[in-house]
Amino acid sequence: MNEGGGRPMACRLWQDTVVDLVVGAAPPARARAFRRHRARCSACRGEYASARSLATALHATPVGNGGGVAPNPEEGRSEGMPVKRQRGPLLTLLAVASLAIILLSINLAREPAPVAEPVAAPAAAVPAPTPAEVPPPTPEPAPDAAYAGRTAGNEATIAIAVKDGRAVAYLCDGKKVEAWLEGTVDGSVLSMRGPDGATVTGELQEGAVFGEAAAKGKKWPYSAALATPPAGTYRGSVSVDGVLKRIGWNVLPDGTVTGIISDANGVGPAPPLNPDARTATLDGVPVDVQLVTGRAG
Amino acid sequence: MTSSAPDPYTAAAPAPRPARHRGHRSGTAAVLVLVAIGALVAVALGVYGRLHEPGFFSVNVAGFSSPGAVKSWLATTAFLLALVQLGSALVMWGKVPRVVAPSWIGGLHRWSGRLAVLATVPVAVHCLYALGFDASSPRTLVHSLFGCFFYGVFVTKMLVLSRKDMPGWALPVIGGLTFSALTALWLTSAVWFFTTTGLTF
């Protein structure tokens, strides 16, 4: 940096020292000697001044602070650079915080609907598990009930749990598409929403629900019959090798089990569920399985 | 900026430069304040990670097979940049024999650091938002602890950099801790991911 055209040239002997001083690599003894020499030599004074101003221009932050090149202890403060408060690191902090907040708000904006709180064991709403796989058609549509069925083209299974005017549905194709939805029951009309625009609407008719389910940009009509355990929706969670995985299963009145397992890395087919015993294992690890009976409260 | 250890150039000097403006004592007190701020950040992150119900789903980055792959590659990028950080810091402080700090080394250090920490942010947001503070296995516990610690010590480092009255040992110690924390994070995440699922994109 001491070869710039038009700038004064330092004495050959001191050229390296000028550079060392500016980048902060000059030993104190040499710095002192240079200072004595500089007092007498205008060429070296000029070279030193222009080298420092070049360094200032090159560095976003002034020499003589913690952010950049280590300044020479002898030279840092008294001359050359204006000393001001370092803003670079604070701007870095600000940038990091802003990025984090932006990403977090994107996540929050896409927040999936709160998933039904599983109620441990057979709750009051659901009769004790009956091993029979016959759907007992109860004539009166009880306010608290579960329904399970399929979409019209058998693309996916759906199970809906109604409790205290709230409805929870799990839509699952057993391969890739799944959605937990939550909503309300108004008279005989069900309306539920899930993440990424998933919706399930339906109407209660004589112990069954008929309606439309939409997820991942597709829409299917479905029908779901009244279901008693073991039919219904089950949720499981298991931690394998330190990775938390969640599972959803739909058990249809005919005994069909469809499930999806998901972790932070994606989704896949769920391990088999034993609906009667409410047990499942993944890689030898027992899964914590719970029947979903609707959102409590 | 004078470290306590002797370096090739200033070893003969009578004493390291005394702390910048004020005495050593006030400088040390100021460091403690900044460390306390960093500790608060670390604790706040840990509390958030513990209390926030893991969303379990988070925005994915297009082009990668899974969030795990994205995170692993981002973390690896950050770690490589952190190696640049370590090297440039050593050169800047005259710890590499016979290497005189070139004028651009400060810029290299600043910008590699900025890119490194920015690369970690999407990873950390996903960790915190989708997974939370997880003590269910040693790996995740260590990773969770270091994750909180890293951002705490990073905040402290930025604050130390922005002040001029810091004692000479502050920056090397805090910078070293930042580097070590990032290395531990990388070992407990990306290395683990690549060794269990293979080098996937």
Side-chain angles (χ1 to χ4, degrees):
Chain A
M1 68 172 57
N2 52 357
E3 293 295 326
R7 290 194 286 112
M9 288 296 295
C11 304
R12 183 175 296 246
L13 183 64
W14 293 103
Q15 275 178 13
D16 288 345
T17 304
V18 169
V19 176
D20 286 351
L21 277 170
V22 169
V23 301
R30 194 141 59 91
R32 279 194 296 275
F34 176 72
R35 230 180 9 243
R36 283 195 295 276
H37 167 76
R38 193 181 56 189
R40 299 189 304 272
C41 173
S42 66
C44 284
R45 265 200 305 280
E47 171 72 6
Y48 178 72
S50 68
R52 287 211 68 137
S53 57
L54 181 58
T56 317
L58 285 174
H59 294 270
T61 51
V63 176
N65 54 54
V69 169
N72 186 288
E74 301 287 314
E75 300 283 325
R77 195 156 305 284
S78 56
E79 50 203 299
M81 304 300 138
V83 176
K84 52 182 178 187
R85 194 181 168 82
Q86 267 276 60
R87 282 185 310 169
L90 297 180
L91 289 176
T92 306
L93 262 186
L94 197 67
V96 168
S98 313
L99 180 60
I101 288 169
I102 289 169
L103 290 173
L104 207 57
S105 36
I106 292 174
N107 274 324
L108 285 173
R110 294 173 40 128
E111 172 110 352
V115 167
E117 279 171 26
V119 177
V126 190
T130 47
E133 55 180 37
V134 187
T138 337
E140 83 253 10
D144 294 357
Y147 304 86
R150 306 171 192 271
T151 57
N154 202 14
E155 295 91 352
T157 61
I158 184 168
I160 304 168
V162 177
K163 188 181 185 190
D164 300 334
R166 306 283 301 170
V168 170
Y170 181 55
L171 181 71
C172 170
D173 75 347
K175 296 185 286 281
K176 289 197 298 194
V177 179
E178 67 162 0
W180 287 96
L181 307 100
E182 202 194 352
T184 54
V185 186
D186 187 9
S188 63
V189 177
L190 291 98
S191 170
M192 286 160 279
R193 307 183 69 80
D196 293 339
T199 57
V200 167
T201 55
E203 197 173 353
L204 278 163
Q205 290 174 12
E206 296 171 5
V209 179
F210 301 93
E212 243 180 9
K216 300 269 188 273
K218 289 176 187 155
K219 211 172 213 184
W220 307 284
Y222 72 88
S223 63
L226 194 65
T228 54
T233 301
Y234 296 82
R235 279 164 57 79
S237 64
V238 62
S239 188
V240 176
D241 292 335
V243 176
L244 182 64
K245 294 170 186 290
R246 290 186 180 175
I247 311 172
W249 290 279
N250 279 338
V251 180
L252 302 192
D254 66 5
T256 313
V257 179
T258 314
I260 278 187
I261 185 165
S262 60
D263 63 19
N265 288 328
V267 299
L273 168 76
N274 180 338
D276 296 316
R278 294 185 191 171
T279 54
T281 57
L282 180 69
D283 297 345
V285 182
V287 180
D288 177 30
V289 179
Q290 290 175 323
L291 178 68
V292 176
T293 59
R295 189 175 179 80
Chain B
M1 289 294 289
T2 321
S3 73
S4 48
D7 77 47
Y9 278 116
T10 57
R17 184 164 57 125
R20 299 205 181 140
H21 274 314
R22 310 168 207 167
H24 252 301
R25 195 169 298 163
S26 68
T28 307
V31 172
L32 286 180
V33 171
L34 303 186
V35 167
I37 295 174
L40 282 178
V41 170
V43 170
L45 289 174
V47 168
Y48 173 81
R50 191 74 189 168
L51 295 185
H52 174 77
E53 178 71 18
F56 219 59
F57 294 94
S58 189
V59 180
N60 199 357
V61 178
F64 284 95
S65 56
S66 69
V70 182
K71 291 171 75 177
S72 297
W73 285 109
L74 281 173
T76 303
T77 306
F79 176 68
L80 292 177
L81 287 166
L83 289 178
V84 175
Q85 288 275 287
L86 181 66
S88 58
L90 287 174
V91 169
M92 255 161 52
W93 289 67
K95 298 295 176 194
V96 184
R98 287 186 294 282
V99 174
V100 175
S103 57
W104 42 262
I105 197 84
L108 176 69
H109 188 77
R110 279 192 297 275
W111 281 103
S112 59
R114 281 174 189 149
L115 292 179
V117 75
L118 286 177
T120 67
V121 171
V123 182
V125 167
H126 185 278
C127 282
L128 271 176
Y129 181 82
L131 305 173
F133 191 102
D134 184 0
S136 65
S137 79
R139 177 190 75 84
T140 55
L141 175 63
V142 168
H143 187 79
S144 301
L145 287 172
F146 269 112
C148 299
F149 175 79
F150 172 78
Y151 286 97
V153 79
F154 167 73
V155 167
T156 301
K157 180 165 190 262
M158 290 301 107
L159 294 176
V160 165
L161 281 173
S162 72
R163 304 271 305 243
K164 300 192 178 307
D165 54 353
M166 294 291 116
W169 54 265
L171 210 46
V173 168
I174 294 167
L177 287 174
T178 313
F179 175 78
S180 308
L182 187 64
T183 306
L185 285 172
W186 180 69
L187 289 173
T188 54
S189 60
V191 173
W192 170 83
F193 179 84
F194 288 138
T195 48
T196 51
T197 63
L199 271 181
T200 50
F201 285 92

